[in-house]
Amino acid sequence: MKYHVDKHIENAIKFGFSSAGPLNLEALVLMPEVREMCSADRCQSYGRNWCCPPACGTLEEGAAKLKEYDFGIIVQTTGTKEDDFDFESIADTAKKHKESFQALADFLKESYGNVLPLGAGTCTVCEKCAYPEPCRFPDKAIISMEAYGLWVSKVCELSDIPYYYGPLTITYTSCYLLKKEN
């Protein structure tokens, strides 16, 4: 049970995730191409949210931060849709994932110490981000895997966890990085 990974995976399932597994840190390759996709601003958060580019820092700063951690877990929430346009199920699955993700992040921070949670999608702690004013909740703010420049499907593949669970499913993926000792 290296660094208590099994215990963290067990906790992830208890917190409501559909699946969880060890995170392959070698899969955490920060790609400029992924970061450039953020600049298309499809989620309307680019340059408007502290946890999105460019405010969340450079790829070099992200790479330095990731090197501080020794191991991690990857977590997923999978939901089913009635059809490809079942936006209610998509939104419900996203909400469940964000709630489970924040709850486990809080638990890990309380019980374990230094944790870097990387979420799915933009930070939604506040209804509207305070940007460019200071972040109101920096201890709860979550930067996404994509904002770090991570190609999520590749991270899943290299961590031996599925990314796609079949037609009429939607899956949200996030991860937590931890240190051996506080």
Side-chain angles (χ1 to χ4, degrees):
M1 195 156 67
K2 189 177 181 184
Y3 312 133
H4 307 288
V5 171
D6 293 340
K7 178 179 137 192
H8 295 305
I9 291 168
E10 255 179 59
N11 282 332
I13 300 303
K14 287 178 186 174
F15 272 83
F17 292 103
S18 306
S19 56
L23 176 65
N24 177 358
L25 295 186
E26 292 179 19
L28 301 181
V29 177
L30 308 187
M31 303 174 66
E33 302 87 348
V34 175
R35 180 60 79 84
E36 288 167 16
M37 286 189 267
C38 287
S39 66
D41 198 26
R42 286 188 212 160
C43 69
Q44 301 176 348
S45 295
Y46 184 85
R48 296 179 192 95
N49 190 304
W50 281 111
C51 294
C52 292
C56 64
T58 66
L59 290 178
E60 293 77 20
E61 291 167 334
K65 184 78 173 164
L66 293 177
K67 286 180 183 177
E68 296 175 18
Y69 295 88
D70 302 306
F71 69 105
I73 62 169
I74 192 164
V75 295
Q76 296 178 319
T77 304
T78 300
T80 56
K81 307 180 289 183
E82 289 183 25
D83 57 46
D84 288 335
F85 303 101
D86 183 0
F87 298 114
E88 185 177 330
S89 292
I90 294 169
D92 288 347
T93 304
K95 181 179 181 209
K96 180 181 180 194
H97 183 78
K98 286 203 180 248
E99 288 172 352
S100 295
F101 187 75
Q102 188 63 59
L104 183 56
D106 292 343
F107 173 80
L108 289 171
K109 286 176 184 177
E110 272 183 34
S111 61
Y112 194 74
N114 194 334
V115 177
L116 176 61
L118 297 178
T122 190
C123 181
T124 56
V125 171
C126 299
E127 191 173 318
K128 182 177 180 346
C129 184
Y131 185 86
E133 299 299 319
C135 177
R136 292 182 287 261
F137 302 102
D139 58 325
K140 289 197 175 279
I142 303 289
I143 297 175
S144 72
M145 292 176 72
E146 295 89 345
Y148 256 78
L150 296 170
W151 185 5
V152 177
S153 62
K154 190 57 116 177
V155 173
C156 289
E157 176 188 330
L158 295 173
S159 296
D160 292 323
I161 191 164
Y163 177 74
Y164 178 67
Y165 289 88
L168 299 180
T169 64
I170 182 74
T171 300
Y172 291 90
T173 302
S174 300
C175 63
Y176 303 91
L177 284 91
L178 302 112
K179 294 183 180 186
K180 290 181 208 175
E181 296 181 25
N182 299 329

